[in-house]
Amino acid sequence: MPKQKAHRGTAKRIKLSATGKLIRRRQNGNHFLEKKSGGRKRHIVTPATVSGGENRNIKRALGV
């Protein structure tokens, strides 16, 4: 039986850390940046971890 392929859209957006956590980008960092404060913009560029019930589904989509 062939191997399962990872969902390519998910694989491009979410990476797996060395400890097994899922790392994702934060939202709201693409446009309308003039009205956002500097602290808010700096917070947006820091990566976030996926939490809650989405972990199981995303790991299954990535083939982990």
Side-chain angles (χ1 to χ4, degrees):
M1 192 160 170
K3 290 183 178 179
Q4 287 292 319
K5 292 186 177 181
H7 190 279
R8 298 315 299 161
T10 304
K12 290 171 189 173
R13 289 169 172 81
I14 299 178
K15 304 298 178 204
L16 196 66
S17 72
T19 58
K21 293 179 184 175
L22 296 169
I23 308 295
R24 64 169 175 84
R25 282 181 58 196
R26 292 184 192 270
Q27 63 182 4
N28 297 325
N30 287 326
H31 58 119
F32 298 130
L33 296 174
E34 287 181 357
K35 63 173 75 173
K36 296 171 185 161
S37 67
R40 186 174 166 195
K41 287 187 278 192
R42 283 193 300 275
H43 180 69
I44 287 170
V45 293
T46 59
T49 58
V50 178
S51 61
E54 297 175 341
N55 269 335
R56 186 166 157 246
N57 293 336
I58 293 173
K59 283 187 177 181
R60 182 182 295 159
L62 292 176
V64 175

Short mmCIF file of all heavy atoms in Angstrom, two decimals:
data_model
loop_
_atom_site.label_atom_id
_atom_site.label_comp_id
_atom_site.label_asym_id
_atom_site.label_seq_id
_atom_site.Cartn_x
_atom_site.Cartn_y
_atom_site.Cartn_z
N MET A 1 0.84 -1.18 0.00
CA MET A 1 0.00 0.00 0.00
C MET A 1 0.89 1.25 0.00
O MET A 1 1.88 1.31 0.73
CB MET A 1 -0.88 -0.02 1.24
CG MET A 1 -1.98 0.98 1.20
SD MET A 1 -3.26 0.49 2.37
CE MET A 1 -4.22 1.95 2.33
N PRO A 2 0.55 2.28 -0.79
CA PRO A 2 1.41 3.46 -0.85
C PRO A 2 1.34 4.30 0.42
O PRO A 2 0.39 4.19 1.20
CB PRO A 2 0.86 4.24 -2.04
CG PRO A 2 -0.53 3.78 -2.19
CD PRO A 2 -0.56 2.36 -1.74
N LYS A 3 2.36 5.14 0.60
CA LYS A 3 2.39 6.03 1.76
C LYS A 3 1.34 7.11 1.61
O LYS A 3 0.98 7.50 0.50
CB LYS A 3 3.76 6.71 1.86
CG LYS A 3 4.89 5.80 2.23
CD LYS A 3 6.15 6.64 2.36
CE LYS A 3 7.32 5.82 2.77
NZ LYS A 3 8.53 6.64 2.87
N GLN A 4 0.87 7.61 2.76
CA GLN A 4 -0.06 8.73 2.75
C GLN A 4 0.71 10.02 2.48
O GLN A 4 1.78 10.22 3.03
CB GLN A 4 -0.77 8.83 4.10
CG GLN A 4 -1.80 7.74 4.33
CD GLN A 4 -2.99 7.89 3.40
OE1 GLN A 4 -3.46 8.99 3.16
NE2 GLN A 4 -3.46 6.79 2.88
N LYS A 5 0.14 10.87 1.64
CA LYS A 5 0.79 12.15 1.36
C LYS A 5 0.34 13.19 2.39
O LYS A 5 -0.80 13.17 2.84
CB LYS A 5 0.41 12.62 -0.04
CG LYS A 5 1.01 11.77 -1.13
CD LYS A 5 0.73 12.37 -2.48
CE LYS A 5 1.38 11.55 -3.57
NZ LYS A 5 1.14 12.13 -4.89
N ALA A 6 1.26 14.08 2.72
CA ALA A 6 0.91 15.18 3.62
C ALA A 6 0.09 16.21 2.86
O ALA A 6 0.27 16.39 1.65
CB ALA A 6 2.17 15.84 4.16
N HIS A 7 -0.81 16.88 3.54
CA HIS A 7 -1.59 17.95 2.93
C HIS A 7 -0.66 19.12 2.67
O HIS A 7 -0.13 19.73 3.61
CB HIS A 7 -2.72 18.36 3.88
CG HIS A 7 -3.72 19.28 3.26
ND1 HIS A 7 -3.48 20.63 3.16
CD2 HIS A 7 -4.93 19.06 2.70
CE1 HIS A 7 -4.52 21.20 2.57
NE2 HIS A 7 -5.40 20.26 2.28
N ARG A 8 -0.41 19.43 1.40
CA ARG A 8 0.64 20.38 1.06
C ARG A 8 0.34 21.80 1.53
O ARG A 8 1.24 22.54 1.90
CB ARG A 8 0.89 20.38 -0.47
CG ARG A 8 1.38 19.05 -1.00
CD ARG A 8 2.48 18.40 -0.18
NE ARG A 8 3.68 19.21 -0.09
CZ ARG A 8 4.62 19.07 0.82
NH1 ARG A 8 4.49 18.15 1.75
NH2 ARG A 8 5.68 19.83 0.83
N GLY A 9 -0.92 22.21 1.52
CA GLY A 9 -1.27 23.54 2.00
C GLY A 9 -0.98 23.70 3.47
O GLY A 9 -0.48 24.73 3.92
N THR A 10 -1.27 22.66 4.25
CA THR A 10 -0.98 22.69 5.68
C THR A 10 0.51 22.64 5.93
O THR A 10 1.03 23.34 6.81
CB THR A 10 -1.67 21.50 6.38
OG1 THR A 10 -3.06 21.54 6.08
CG2 THR A 10 -1.48 21.56 7.87
N ALA A 11 1.23 21.85 5.14
CA ALA A 11 2.68 21.70 5.33
C ALA A 11 3.41 23.01 5.05
O ALA A 11 4.45 23.27 5.64
CB ALA A 11 3.21 20.60 4.44
N LYS A 12 2.88 23.84 4.16
CA LYS A 12 3.52 25.12 3.86
C LYS A 12 3.28 26.14 4.96
O LYS A 12 4.06 27.08 5.12
CB LYS A 12 2.99 25.66 2.55
CG LYS A 12 3.45 24.88 1.34
CD LYS A 12 2.72 25.31 0.10
CE LYS A 12 3.05 24.36 -1.05
NZ LYS A 12 2.23 24.66 -2.24
N ARG A 13 2.21 26.00 5.72
CA ARG A 13 1.83 27.00 6.72
C ARG A 13 2.24 26.63 8.14
O ARG A 13 2.44 27.52 8.96
CB ARG A 13 0.31 27.20 6.68
CG ARG A 13 -0.15 27.92 5.45
CD ARG A 13 -1.66 27.86 5.33
NE ARG A 13 -2.12 28.70 4.24
CZ ARG A 13 -2.12 28.35 2.97
NH1 ARG A 13 -1.67 27.15 2.61
NH2 ARG A 13 -2.54 29.17 2.03
N ILE A 14 2.35 25.36 8.43
CA ILE A 14 2.59 24.93 9.80
C ILE A 14 3.80 24.00 9.83
O ILE A 14 3.89 23.07 9.03
CB ILE A 14 1.36 24.21 10.38
CG1 ILE A 14 0.19 25.19 10.40
CG2 ILE A 14 1.64 23.67 11.76
CD1 ILE A 14 -1.10 24.61 10.90
N LYS A 15 4.73 24.28 10.73
CA LYS A 15 5.94 23.47 10.87
C LYS A 15 5.90 22.75 12.22
O LYS A 15 5.31 23.24 13.18
CB LYS A 15 7.20 24.33 10.81
CG LYS A 15 7.33 25.17 9.54
CD LYS A 15 7.41 24.33 8.31
CE LYS A 15 7.47 25.20 7.08
NZ LYS A 15 7.00 24.52 5.89
N LEU A 16 6.59 21.63 12.29
CA LEU A 16 6.67 20.85 13.51
C LEU A 16 7.99 21.17 14.20
O LEU A 16 9.05 21.12 13.58
CB LEU A 16 6.59 19.36 13.17
CG LEU A 16 6.29 18.41 14.29
CD1 LEU A 16 4.89 18.64 14.83
CD2 LEU A 16 6.43 16.99 13.82
N SER A 17 7.95 21.54 15.49
CA SER A 17 9.17 21.86 16.22
C SER A 17 9.85 20.57 16.67
O SER A 17 9.30 19.47 16.53
CB SER A 17 8.85 22.73 17.43
OG SER A 17 8.20 21.95 18.41
N ALA A 18 11.04 20.70 17.22
CA ALA A 18 11.81 19.54 17.65
C ALA A 18 11.13 18.81 18.80
O ALA A 18 11.28 17.60 18.95
CB ALA A 18 13.21 19.96 18.06
N THR A 19 10.35 19.54 19.60
CA THR A 19 9.66 18.91 20.73
C THR A 19 8.27 18.41 20.35
O THR A 19 7.55 17.91 21.21
CB THR A 19 9.54 19.89 21.90
OG1 THR A 19 8.84 21.06 21.46
CG2 THR A 19 10.90 20.27 22.43
N GLY A 20 7.88 18.57 19.09
CA GLY A 20 6.59 18.05 18.64
C GLY A 20 5.47 19.06 18.64
O GLY A 20 4.33 18.71 18.36
N LYS A 21 5.77 20.34 18.94
CA LYS A 21 4.73 21.37 18.90
C LYS A 21 4.55 21.85 17.47
O LYS A 21 5.47 21.78 16.66
CB LYS A 21 5.12 22.55 19.79
CG LYS A 21 5.15 22.22 21.26
CD LYS A 21 5.56 23.44 22.06
CE LYS A 21 5.69 23.10 23.53
NZ LYS A 21 6.19 24.25 24.28
N LEU A 22 3.37 22.37 17.18
CA LEU A 22 3.06 22.90 15.86
C LEU A 22 3.24 24.41 15.88
O LEU A 22 2.64 25.11 16.70
CB LEU A 22 1.63 22.53 15.47
CG LEU A 22 1.38 21.03 15.32
CD1 LEU A 22 -0.11 20.77 15.21
CD2 LEU A 22 2.11 20.48 14.13
N ILE A 23 4.06 24.93 14.97
CA ILE A 23 4.37 26.36 14.91
C ILE A 23 3.65 26.95 13.71
O ILE A 23 3.74 26.42 12.60
CB ILE A 23 5.89 26.58 14.76
CG1 ILE A 23 6.66 25.83 15.85
CG2 ILE A 23 6.23 28.06 14.79
CD1 ILE A 23 6.42 26.30 17.24
N ARG A 24 2.95 28.07 13.93
CA ARG A 24 2.21 28.72 12.86
C ARG A 24 2.48 30.22 12.88
O ARG A 24 3.00 30.76 13.86
CB ARG A 24 0.71 28.48 13.03
CG ARG A 24 0.16 29.12 14.30
CD ARG A 24 -1.34 29.13 14.34
NE ARG A 24 -1.83 29.64 15.62
CZ ARG A 24 -1.99 30.92 15.91
NH1 ARG A 24 -1.67 31.85 15.03
NH2 ARG A 24 -2.43 31.29 17.09
N ARG A 25 2.13 30.89 11.79
CA ARG A 25 2.21 32.34 11.74
C ARG A 25 0.95 32.94 12.33
O ARG A 25 -0.10 32.31 12.34
CB ARG A 25 2.33 32.82 10.28
CG ARG A 25 3.70 32.67 9.68
CD ARG A 25 3.72 33.20 8.27
NE ARG A 25 3.31 34.60 8.21
CZ ARG A 25 2.94 35.24 7.10
NH1 ARG A 25 2.89 34.59 5.96
NH2 ARG A 25 2.62 36.51 7.14
N ARG A 26 1.06 34.17 12.81
CA ARG A 26 -0.11 34.86 13.35
C ARG A 26 -0.84 35.58 12.22
O ARG A 26 -0.27 35.88 11.18
CB ARG A 26 0.30 35.87 14.41
CG ARG A 26 0.85 35.22 15.66
CD ARG A 26 1.13 36.27 16.70
NE ARG A 26 1.92 35.71 17.78
CZ ARG A 26 1.41 35.15 18.86
NH1 ARG A 26 0.11 35.05 19.00
NH2 ARG A 26 2.20 34.68 19.80
N GLN A 27 -2.10 35.89 12.48
CA GLN A 27 -2.91 36.59 11.49
C GLN A 27 -2.70 38.10 11.57
O GLN A 27 -2.02 38.60 12.47
CB GLN A 27 -4.38 36.27 11.72
CG GLN A 27 -4.90 36.75 13.05
CD GLN A 27 -6.34 36.37 13.26
OE1 GLN A 27 -6.95 35.69 12.45
NE2 GLN A 27 -6.90 36.80 14.37
N ASN A 28 -3.25 38.83 10.63
CA ASN A 28 -3.32 40.29 10.58
C ASN A 28 -2.00 40.97 10.28
O ASN A 28 -1.83 42.13 10.60
CB ASN A 28 -3.87 40.87 11.90
CG ASN A 28 -5.28 40.44 12.18
OD1 ASN A 28 -6.07 40.29 11.26
ND2 ASN A 28 -5.58 40.22 13.44
N GLY A 29 -1.04 40.30 9.65
CA GLY A 29 0.24 40.93 9.40
C GLY A 29 0.52 41.29 7.96
O GLY A 29 1.68 41.51 7.61
N ASN A 30 -0.51 41.36 7.11
CA ASN A 30 -0.26 41.57 5.70
C ASN A 30 -0.58 42.96 5.18
O ASN A 30 0.15 43.48 4.34
CB ASN A 30 -1.05 40.54 4.86
CG ASN A 30 -0.45 39.16 4.97
OD1 ASN A 30 0.76 39.02 5.08
ND2 ASN A 30 -1.29 38.15 4.95
N HIS A 31 -1.64 43.56 5.65
CA HIS A 31 -2.00 44.88 5.11
C HIS A 31 -2.67 45.69 6.19
O HIS A 31 -2.90 45.20 7.30
CB HIS A 31 -2.90 44.75 3.87
CG HIS A 31 -4.16 44.00 4.11
ND1 HIS A 31 -5.39 44.56 3.94
CD2 HIS A 31 -4.39 42.73 4.53
CE1 HIS A 31 -6.33 43.66 4.23
NE2 HIS A 31 -5.74 42.55 4.59
N PHE A 32 -2.92 46.97 5.89
CA PHE A 32 -3.43 47.94 6.87
C PHE A 32 -2.49 48.05 8.06
O PHE A 32 -2.92 48.13 9.22
CB PHE A 32 -4.84 47.58 7.36
CG PHE A 32 -5.89 47.56 6.29
CD1 PHE A 32 -6.72 46.47 6.16
CD2 PHE A 32 -6.03 48.61 5.42
CE1 PHE A 32 -7.69 46.44 5.18
CE2 PHE A 32 -6.99 48.59 4.43
CZ PHE A 32 -7.83 47.49 4.31
N LEU A 33 -1.19 48.08 7.79
CA LEU A 33 -0.22 48.08 8.89
C LEU A 33 0.00 49.48 9.47
O LEU A 33 0.57 49.60 10.54
CB LEU A 33 1.11 47.49 8.41
CG LEU A 33 1.05 46.02 8.00
CD1 LEU A 33 2.36 45.59 7.41
CD2 LEU A 33 0.68 45.16 9.17
N GLU A 34 -0.44 50.54 8.75
CA GLU A 34 -0.22 51.90 9.25
C GLU A 34 -1.02 52.16 10.53
O GLU A 34 -0.57 52.87 11.41
CB GLU A 34 -0.63 52.92 8.19
CG GLU A 34 0.34 53.01 7.05
CD GLU A 34 -0.07 54.06 6.04
OE1 GLU A 34 -1.14 54.67 6.20
OE2 GLU A 34 0.68 54.27 5.09
N LYS A 35 -2.20 51.59 10.62
CA LYS A 35 -3.05 51.87 11.78
C LYS A 35 -2.70 51.02 12.99
O LYS A 35 -3.20 51.27 14.07
CB LYS A 35 -4.53 51.68 11.41
CG LYS A 35 -4.90 50.28 11.02
CD LYS A 35 -6.40 50.12 10.84
CE LYS A 35 -6.88 50.74 9.55
NZ LYS A 35 -8.30 50.44 9.30
N LYS A 36 -1.87 50.01 12.81
CA LYS A 36 -1.50 49.14 13.91
C LYS A 36 -0.27 49.69 14.62
O LYS A 36 0.64 50.20 13.99
CB LYS A 36 -1.23 47.72 13.40
CG LYS A 36 -2.46 47.08 12.82
CD LYS A 36 -2.19 45.79 12.13
CE LYS A 36 -3.47 45.29 11.48
NZ LYS A 36 -3.23 44.31 10.45
N SER A 37 -0.25 49.57 15.93
CA SER A 37 0.87 50.10 16.70
C SER A 37 2.10 49.23 16.50
O SER A 37 2.01 48.08 16.06
CB SER A 37 0.51 50.15 18.18
OG SER A 37 0.37 48.85 18.69
N GLY A 38 3.26 49.79 16.84
CA GLY A 38 4.51 49.05 16.67
C GLY A 38 4.56 47.80 17.51
O GLY A 38 5.03 46.75 17.06
N GLY A 39 4.07 47.89 18.74
CA GLY A 39 4.08 46.71 19.60
C GLY A 39 3.18 45.61 19.07
O GLY A 39 3.51 44.43 19.15
N ARG A 40 2.06 46.03 18.51
CA ARG A 40 1.13 45.05 17.93
C ARG A 40 1.77 44.37 16.72
O ARG A 40 1.65 43.15 16.55
CB ARG A 40 -0.15 45.77 17.54
CG ARG A 40 -1.26 44.89 17.05
CD ARG A 40 -2.50 45.74 16.86
NE ARG A 40 -3.50 45.03 16.10
CZ ARG A 40 -4.55 45.61 15.54
NH1 ARG A 40 -4.74 46.91 15.67
NH2 ARG A 40 -5.43 44.92 14.86
N LYS A 41 2.46 45.15 15.89
CA LYS A 41 3.12 44.57 14.70
C LYS A 41 4.26 43.65 15.09
O LYS A 41 4.46 42.60 14.47
CB LYS A 41 3.60 45.68 13.78
CG LYS A 41 2.47 46.38 13.05
CD LYS A 41 2.97 47.36 12.03
CE LYS A 41 3.33 48.67 12.68
NZ LYS A 41 3.56 49.74 11.69
N ARG A 42 5.01 44.00 16.13
CA ARG A 42 6.08 43.12 16.59
C ARG A 42 5.51 41.82 17.15
O ARG A 42 6.11 40.75 16.99
CB ARG A 42 6.93 43.83 17.65
CG ARG A 42 7.90 44.83 17.07
CD ARG A 42 8.92 45.26 18.09
NE ARG A 42 8.33 45.89 19.25
CZ ARG A 42 8.00 47.20 19.34
NH1 ARG A 42 8.19 47.99 18.30
NH2 ARG A 42 7.50 47.68 20.45
N HIS A 43 4.37 41.91 17.78
CA HIS A 43 3.73 40.70 18.31
C HIS A 43 3.25 39.79 17.18
O HIS A 43 3.31 38.57 17.28
CB HIS A 43 2.56 41.09 19.21
CG HIS A 43 1.83 39.92 19.79
ND1 HIS A 43 2.38 39.10 20.75
CD2 HIS A 43 0.60 39.41 19.54
CE1 HIS A 43 1.52 38.16 21.06
NE2 HIS A 43 0.42 38.32 20.34
N ILE A 44 2.80 40.39 16.09
CA ILE A 44 2.29 39.62 14.95
C ILE A 44 3.39 38.78 14.31
O ILE A 44 3.13 37.66 13.87
CB ILE A 44 1.63 40.58 13.93
CG1 ILE A 44 0.30 41.08 14.46
CG2 ILE A 44 1.43 39.90 12.59
CD1 ILE A 44 -0.31 42.20 13.64
N VAL A 45 4.62 39.30 14.24
CA VAL A 45 5.67 38.56 13.53
C VAL A 45 6.25 37.41 14.36
O VAL A 45 6.92 36.55 13.80
CB VAL A 45 6.82 39.47 13.06
CG1 VAL A 45 6.35 40.40 11.98
CG2 VAL A 45 7.44 40.21 14.20
N THR A 46 5.97 37.36 15.66
CA THR A 46 6.47 36.23 16.45
C THR A 46 5.61 35.01 16.17
O THR A 46 4.39 35.11 16.06
CB THR A 46 6.42 36.54 17.96
OG1 THR A 46 5.07 36.81 18.33
CG2 THR A 46 7.29 37.71 18.31
N PRO A 47 6.22 33.84 16.01
CA PRO A 47 5.43 32.65 15.72
C PRO A 47 4.60 32.23 16.93
O PRO A 47 4.91 32.55 18.07
CB PRO A 47 6.47 31.59 15.37
CG PRO A 47 7.74 32.08 15.93
CD PRO A 47 7.67 33.57 16.00
N ALA A 48 3.53 31.52 16.64
CA ALA A 48 2.63 31.03 17.69
C ALA A 48 2.54 29.51 17.60
O ALA A 48 2.86 28.92 16.57
CB ALA A 48 1.25 31.65 17.52
N THR A 49 2.10 28.89 18.68
CA THR A 49 1.91 27.45 18.67
C THR A 49 0.43 27.15 18.52
O THR A 49 -0.42 27.90 19.00
CB THR A 49 2.42 26.81 19.97
OG1 THR A 49 1.74 27.40 21.07
CG2 THR A 49 3.91 27.02 20.13
N VAL A 50 0.12 26.08 17.84
CA VAL A 50 -1.26 25.64 17.69
C VAL A 50 -1.67 24.96 18.99
O VAL A 50 -0.94 24.13 19.53
CB VAL A 50 -1.38 24.66 16.50
CG1 VAL A 50 -2.81 24.17 16.37
CG2 VAL A 50 -0.92 25.32 15.23
N SER A 51 -2.83 25.33 19.51
CA SER A 51 -3.28 24.75 20.77
C SER A 51 -4.69 24.22 20.62
O SER A 51 -5.39 24.52 19.65
CB SER A 51 -3.23 25.81 21.88
OG SER A 51 -4.10 26.86 21.55
N GLY A 52 -5.10 23.44 21.57
CA GLY A 52 -6.46 22.95 21.60
C GLY A 52 -6.67 21.73 20.74
O GLY A 52 -5.75 20.97 20.44
N GLY A 53 -7.91 21.55 20.31
CA GLY A 53 -8.29 20.36 19.57
C GLY A 53 -7.82 20.30 18.14
O GLY A 53 -8.00 19.29 17.47
N GLU A 54 -7.23 21.39 17.64
CA GLU A 54 -6.76 21.38 16.26
C GLU A 54 -5.48 20.58 16.09
O GLU A 54 -5.16 20.16 14.99
CB GLU A 54 -6.51 22.82 15.79
CG GLU A 54 -7.75 23.67 15.78
CD GLU A 54 -7.45 25.11 15.42
OE1 GLU A 54 -6.29 25.53 15.54
OE2 GLU A 54 -8.39 25.81 15.03
N ASN A 55 -4.75 20.36 17.19
CA ASN A 55 -3.48 19.64 17.11
C ASN A 55 -3.61 18.30 16.42
O ASN A 55 -2.83 17.96 15.55
CB ASN A 55 -2.91 19.42 18.51
CG ASN A 55 -2.00 20.55 18.93
OD1 ASN A 55 -1.43 21.24 18.11
ND2 ASN A 55 -1.88 20.74 20.22
N ARG A 56 -4.59 17.53 16.85
CA ARG A 56 -4.74 16.17 16.34
C ARG A 56 -5.03 16.17 14.84
O ARG A 56 -4.44 15.41 14.08
CB ARG A 56 -5.87 15.47 17.10
CG ARG A 56 -6.04 14.02 16.77
CD ARG A 56 -6.95 13.35 17.81
NE ARG A 56 -7.54 12.18 17.24
CZ ARG A 56 -8.85 12.04 17.01
NH1 ARG A 56 -9.68 13.00 17.33
NH2 ARG A 56 -9.32 10.94 16.48
N ASN A 57 -5.95 17.05 14.41
CA ASN A 57 -6.31 17.10 13.00
C ASN A 57 -5.15 17.57 12.13
O ASN A 57 -4.93 17.05 11.03
CB ASN A 57 -7.51 18.02 12.80
CG ASN A 57 -8.77 17.47 13.43
OD1 ASN A 57 -8.89 16.27 13.63
ND2 ASN A 57 -9.70 18.34 13.77
N ILE A 58 -4.39 18.56 12.60
CA ILE A 58 -3.28 19.09 11.82
C ILE A 58 -2.16 18.08 11.72
O ILE A 58 -1.56 17.88 10.65
CB ILE A 58 -2.79 20.43 12.41
CG1 ILE A 58 -3.88 21.49 12.23
CG2 ILE A 58 -1.51 20.88 11.76
CD1 ILE A 58 -3.61 22.79 12.91
N LYS A 59 -1.86 17.38 12.82
CA LYS A 59 -0.83 16.36 12.77
C LYS A 59 -1.22 15.23 11.82
O LYS A 59 -0.37 14.68 11.10
CB LYS A 59 -0.54 15.81 14.16
CG LYS A 59 0.29 16.75 15.00
CD LYS A 59 0.69 16.13 16.31
CE LYS A 59 1.58 17.09 17.09
NZ LYS A 59 2.01 16.52 18.37
N ARG A 60 -2.49 14.91 11.78
CA ARG A 60 -2.94 13.88 10.83
C ARG A 60 -2.80 14.40 9.39
O ARG A 60 -2.38 13.64 8.51
CB ARG A 60 -4.41 13.55 11.11
CG ARG A 60 -4.95 12.45 10.21
CD ARG A 60 -6.40 12.19 10.50
NE ARG A 60 -6.59 11.67 11.84
CZ ARG A 60 -7.73 11.72 12.52
NH1 ARG A 60 -8.78 12.31 11.98
NH2 ARG A 60 -7.82 11.21 13.72
N ALA A 61 -3.09 15.67 9.14
CA ALA A 61 -2.94 16.22 7.80
C ALA A 61 -1.48 16.27 7.37
O ALA A 61 -1.17 16.11 6.19
CB ALA A 61 -3.54 17.63 7.75
N LEU A 62 -0.57 16.47 8.35
CA LEU A 62 0.85 16.51 8.03
C LEU A 62 1.45 15.12 7.90
O LEU A 62 2.57 14.97 7.46
CB LEU A 62 1.60 17.29 9.10
CG LEU A 62 1.32 18.78 9.18
CD1 LEU A 62 2.06 19.39 10.37
CD2 LEU A 62 1.72 19.47 7.91
N GLY A 63 0.72 14.12 8.33
CA GLY A 63 1.23 12.75 8.26
C GLY A 63 2.20 12.41 9.37
O GLY A 63 3.07 11.57 9.21
N VAL A 64 2.04 13.08 10.52
CA VAL A 64 2.95 12.83 11.66
C VAL A 64 2.35 11.79 12.57
O VAL A 64 1.18 11.74 12.81
CB VAL A 64 3.18 14.15 12.45
CG1 VAL A 64 3.99 13.91 13.69
CG2 VAL A 64 3.83 15.15 11.55
#
